[in-house]
Amino acid sequence: MTAFRQYFEDHPEIFAALVAAIAVLGGLLGSVIGAKIQADGGRDQAAAAREAAQIAAEAQRVAALWSVRQLQVAEFIRSARAMMAVCNGIYRSDDDAESRRARVDAASREMALREAEIRLIAPAKVAHAATEVAKATQKAYLGAMRWGPLAGGRVALKRLCNSEDEAVRREARAAMRVLDDEGSSWSVRRQALSTVDGLSGEHIRRLSEPPTKPMQRIVEGMHAHQREVDSKMGKLLEAARVMLRSDDDVLPVVPTPEQRRRWWRAA
């Protein structure tokens, strides 16, 4: 070691050159290590940026889907209730057949459209529940179209029974007594109804038909259809609340980049 030191003392120019070479090599090594660290950091930053962009896009997609599902379920429920309001109104209305069918057809088309939209964007359980509601309203629709006009004719006749015109009131009450007589024939019923000023031809035709079902059972059938729709609607609401995470009171979320990295480290 002493000889080595003595050599450099005797040859200072070689020592200086060696020190310079070591300094250059050290600088080069430092540059290489620094560049590698910087490159690794850049790759990590780029990967984190890509991941953050993917998570943000996923969060936007989930939030948008949540909003669409919430809107479509709400619109379907509204259309189903509107459909039932139209069907139930037939039992209490004395509108003509054309006007009545136009209202029902419009409500039915809208509900069918809303159901199709739910089947496209909602989970299977919600779509199935919506279909069950649609089936129940369809049964209510068929019942209303079959028995509603008869009940509506009774409504019209009862209204005429309270007419301010004494002659109309007398004829309407006489016709009502004939209808309440279950043994009255078609011809007798039609003759009595034809004398009432204010009844449409459809009212007279429907009220003249043999009473195949008592009015009380017709009204009970209307209420039964409403109960069935309400029951199916309750199941739809329950499934929709689960889908929309209503009890959590928050929008669906996706993990943040930091949460995902912690999960990867744990794995």
Side-chain angles (χ1 to χ4, degrees):
M1 184 68 180
T2 303
F4 186 73
R5 184 175 58 187
Q6 184 63 42
Y7 175 81
F8 281 113
E9 288 178 354
D10 295 339
H11 300 83
E13 68 283 359
I14 296 177
F15 179 75
L18 180 62
V19 170
I22 292 173
V24 171
L25 290 175
L28 290 174
L29 182 60
S31 297
V32 171
I33 294 174
K36 185 177 186 305
I37 292 173
Q38 185 175 8
D40 290 342
R43 284 193 293 270
D44 289 343
Q45 289 180 347
R50 287 194 300 271
E51 182 184 356
Q54 291 171 354
I55 291 173
E58 176 66 10
Q60 291 178 354
R61 186 193 70 80
V62 171
L65 181 60
W66 186 95
S67 298
V68 171
R69 284 174 169 175
Q70 187 271 344
L71 176 63
Q72 294 303 335
V73 169
E75 285 296 312
F76 174 77
I77 292 173
R78 181 196 61 77
S79 66
R81 288 175 174 169
M83 177 73 172
M84 288 304 298
V86 171
C87 289
N88 291 340
I90 294 176
Y91 292 88
R92 306 182 182 94
S93 173
D94 58 356
D95 289 347
D96 62 275
E98 183 177 352
S99 174
R100 181 171 60 248
R101 181 169 291 280
R103 293 199 312 276
V104 173
D105 287 348
S108 179
R109 283 195 300 271
E110 181 180 1
M111 190 185 67
L113 174 62
R114 301 304 180 188
E115 181 198 356
E117 291 172 341
I118 287 181
R119 290 173 68 87
L120 286 174
I121 56 91
K125 188 172 183 179
V126 175
H128 175 73
T131 298
E132 290 299 305
V133 171
K135 289 180 179 178
T137 56
Q138 182 67 14
K139 288 173 62 178
Y141 157 76
L142 294 175
M145 295 304 291
R146 174 65 181 86
W147 300 107
L150 178 59
R154 296 279 295 206
V155 169
L157 185 58
K158 286 182 179 179
R159 176 174 53 79
L160 294 173
C161 286
N162 297 316
S163 173
E164 295 180 357
D165 188 314
E166 182 179 355
V168 172
R169 186 169 63 248
R170 183 174 59 252
E171 292 169 351
R173 292 179 178 178
M176 185 66 76
R177 287 192 294 271
V178 172
L179 294 184
D180 290 338
D181 180 7
E182 296 183 0
S184 60
S185 64
W186 173 85
S187 59
V188 171
R189 294 162 71 90
R190 185 174 184 82
Q191 182 177 1
L193 291 166
S194 298
T195 63
V196 181
D197 186 18
L199 288 179
S200 68
E202 183 187 15
H203 291 152
I204 295 173
R205 179 177 62 81
R206 297 303 296 268
L207 291 172
S208 298
E209 295 175 354
T212 57
K213 181 183 289 191
M215 190 57 57
Q216 181 179 354
R217 288 188 59 191
I218 292 176
V219 175
E220 289 173 353
M222 178 190 71
H223 293 316
H225 288 310
Q226 183 66 63
R227 287 192 299 270
E228 182 178 3
V229 171
D230 290 342
S231 175
K232 301 296 185 182
M233 188 72 75
K235 294 180 180 179
L236 170 61
L237 288 170
E238 181 180 353
R241 286 180 60 83
V242 172
M243 174 186 70
L244 299 173
R245 298 178 59 184
S246 298
D247 291 336
D248 295 343
D249 196 29
V250 292
L251 283 173
V253 297
V254 296
T256 64
E258 183 60 29
Q259 289 172 329
R260 287 191 172 184
R261 283 192 288 273
R262 285 201 297 269
W263 182 84
W264 288 338
R265 293 193 191 104

